[in-house]
Amino acid sequence: MIEICEVGPRDGLQNECKMISSDIKVELITRLIHAGIRNIEAVSFVNPKVVPQMADAEEVLKLLPKDKNVRYGGLVLSRSGLERALKTDIDFLHVVTTTSDAFNQKNAKRTVEQAVDELSKVIIEGSESGKGVAGVLGTAFGCPFEGEVPLTRVLSVAEKFIEAGCTEITLADTTGMANPIQVQTVVSAFYKQFGKEFSLGLHFHNTRGLGLANTLAGYQAGVRRFDSSIAGLGGCPFAPKAVGNVCTEDMVNMFRGMGVETGADLNQLLDTAKWMETNMDRPLDGMLMKAGIA
């Protein structure tokens, strides 16, 4: 059974020029729930001046349907983000750092070590406040500025986040630099250090057309939790050339063809992707919405 973490409402929309209303975001999330998605990264608690698309996090959370079987996650990058998140009923904090000093210095004016020190305190406080906490490690498969990021550094950051209280780790390919063999190597090293019982997720971008190939490599290496975005929406305002995430309906279609259960209704996902394309007023990247279900 695959667990999908749908990141379209957050990672999918954050880089879009067209401002999407809170009502449309809520309808998108509601449609995804009706399609069987149970883990949704719904909002981001970041500086609204830097990422204006995510300025309405609190409003969106107030409007969302309440369902004990649905988990809502919110991205947190800093202490101020944590303070905002703790005033809401968000279920899970997605605490994010990159593992590249060059990337961190360019975008956050701090080293990885400085980020981990600050965010470890955020993780501890979030956990003590009764929130679930997942650690998301960006540039885990390479950095657009630094190139190769040492695997030892990725594992070291994961270890510190786990020690601080994260019950899940997601390794993110921020700008789509990963390849399938690398994915298997990284996943194998993670499981060797932390054990296969620890919840590991993977987050891929389709920048170089390898998103689904990398997802399959992760699956074959034992991972069962994957981030994806409806209609292939996505990108990062801080990462050059970071195009869309792995497309949710395309990924579900791949696993469906393999006989692997995802719990998602493919027809409803496809309808939602087409509906979202209408709302975005531009063609979106999903392939299945163009080809149809075989």
Side-chain angles (χ1 to χ4, degrees):
M1 178 76 174
I2 298 300
E3 179 185 353
I4 297 169
C5 178
E6 170 62 53
V7 299
R10 197 282 301 175
D11 199 2
L13 295 179
Q14 68 175 3
N15 210 34
E16 291 291 331
C17 296
K18 179 182 177 181
M19 294 300 292
I20 304 301
S21 70
S22 301
D23 287 340
I24 293 295
K25 292 175 184 176
V26 171
E27 183 170 354
L28 169 61
I29 292 168
T30 302
R31 283 170 173 261
L32 290 165
I33 293 170
H34 289 161
I37 305 297
R38 293 293 176 262
N39 184 357
I40 300 172
E41 189 174 68
V43 297
S44 179
F45 300 101
V46 294
N47 187 334
K49 294 179 181 178
V50 179
V51 189
Q53 189 74 261
M54 294 289 108
D56 59 348
E58 289 84 354
E59 179 66 16
V60 168
L61 288 171
K62 286 178 185 176
L63 295 171
L64 284 177
K66 308 306 176 190
D67 186 333
K68 62 182 177 58
N69 295 314
V70 175
R71 166 178 145 180
Y72 295 125
L75 183 140
V76 172
L77 293 173
S78 64
R79 169 78 197 186
S80 58
L82 172 69
E83 291 172 355
R84 282 180 62 193
L86 292 182
K87 294 175 184 176
T88 74
D89 60 357
I90 196 79
D91 299 311
F92 249 77
L93 308 176
H94 295 179
V95 178
V96 181
T97 185
T98 66
T99 52
S100 158
D101 277 323
F103 196 102
N104 257 26
Q105 289 283 17
K106 197 171 187 70
N107 294 293
K109 308 263 189 309
R110 57 186 179 181
T111 65
V112 171
E113 184 177 0
Q114 290 168 334
V116 169
D117 285 346
E118 177 186 343
L119 292 174
S120 292
K121 298 181 180 72
V122 167
I123 293 164
I124 291 168
E125 186 169 342
S127 182
E128 289 176 346
S129 299
K131 303 292 187 184
V133 188
V136 183
L137 310 188
T139 64
F141 298 91
C143 169
F145 310 117
E146 188 175 309
E148 182 181 351
V149 175
L151 179 53
T152 52
R153 187 190 303 160
V154 175
L155 295 176
S156 174
V157 174
E159 184 173 30
K160 289 173 182 173
F161 270 24
I162 292 168
E163 288 174 349
C166 284
T167 57
E168 300 176 0
I169 293 291
T170 295
L171 300 180
D173 184 21
T174 307
T175 53
M177 297 174 71
N179 67 73
I181 295 298
Q182 180 191 20
V183 170
Q184 293 184 330
T185 298
V186 170
V187 169
S188 176
F190 184 95
Y191 282 145
K192 183 177 180 180
Q193 181 158 337
F194 302 109
K196 286 199 171 184
E197 68 280 358
F198 191 87
S199 178
L200 173 64
L202 296 173
H203 175 112
F204 295 118
H205 285 257
N206 205 37
T207 313
R208 293 163 181 83
L210 290 174
L212 279 181
N214 289 329
T215 300
L216 178 58
Y219 175 80
Q220 291 172 330
V223 177
R224 294 296 180 266
R225 179 166 53 84
F226 298 95
D227 289 5
S228 63
S229 177
I230 193 71
L233 278 165
C236 176
F238 313 112
K241 302 177 182 178
V243 300
N245 295 269
V246 169
C247 174
T248 302
E249 66 273 16
D250 291 357
M251 184 177 76
V252 169
N253 183 61
M254 178 185 77
F255 283 124
R256 176 176 175 260
M258 294 166 56
V260 178
E261 183 57 55
T262 62
D265 184 306
L266 191 54
N267 286 294
Q268 289 192 54
L269 286 176
L270 204 54
D271 288 344
T272 301
K274 292 174 180 176
W275 172 82
M276 201 62 204
E277 186 172 62
T278 300
N279 280 284
M280 299 313 299
D281 292 328
R282 68 175 183 83
L284 299 181
D285 292 338
M287 301 302 292
L288 196 68
M289 61 196 295
K290 301 174 180 66
I293 301 172

